Amino acid sequence: MDIPRIFTVSESAHRIHNPFTAEKLAAFGASLRMEPGTRVLDLGSGSGEMLCTWARDHGISGTGIDMSPLFTAQAQLRARELGVADRVTFVHGDAAGYVADAKVGVAACVGATWIGGGVAGTIELLANSLQDGGLILIGEPYWLQLPPTEEVAQGCRAQAISDFLLLPDLIASFDALHYDVVEMMLASQDSWDRYEATKWLTMRRWLDANPDDEFAPEVRAELTTSPERYTRYGRDYLGWGVFALMAR
């Protein structure tokens, strides 16, 4: 069980596998006003930076589930580095359909809503693990402006324009599901640049170290096309944010 290899190569040096900086992640954690001892479930936990730093800074405990054995190992290492391995646990597994054994105060899926077939299905999945009055955290892309063509949408890594919504429409979709939006943190241009551009050096160094790997042509193709594609399409059209929701 693993995610596509291009991600474990290109994002192997990332601590945060979405367009957030450490400062934004910290600010968002502070904004949620979590009490020490709050239990957090993170589906698609990546390299564990959210759970580990929030455990250090806010005294929470929690569990992260991720399909990548590399990222799960990195998360376990990070927990030991920050001295929170007794409070956070990372499991290599399929987060789709995962429900916590005990109800949690915060249930999160930050950037992997495909596990529930989209935003609505992921919210429904997270709600199964949530205690009354708890917070659901959803990380999701949105259009800064509607792409004029499907080609532009595909240049932003979407399959079609219909894959994402404009930000006000995304907010309205939470309302239609009977959830209040009680906090949000949006990626900035700089945090998007950091997320995307950091991949390029990682891929180049991987290619230099692995010239004969059978996967090298795919990494080479990604490195060759990614900078132009991102600057031509992604910077102008694609946004991303994390939204804190409470059921009515």
Side-chain angles (χ1 to χ4, degrees), residues 45-48 52 70-80 90:
S45 50
S47 295
C52 290
L70 172 63
F71 295 162
T72 302
Q74 289 177 337
Q76 293 164 345
L77 176 61
R78 186 65 168 153
R80 293 193 295 271
F90 295 98

Side-chain angles (χ1 to χ4, degrees), residues 28-55:
F28 189 63
S31 77
L32 300 178
R33 309 173 206 171
M34 295 175 288
E35 295 291 336
T38 298
R39 288 172 48 82
V40 180
L41 174 67
D42 187 10
L43 300 185
S45 50
S47 295
E49 193 72 359
M50 186 176 83
L51 281 182
C52 290
T53 56
W54 288 3

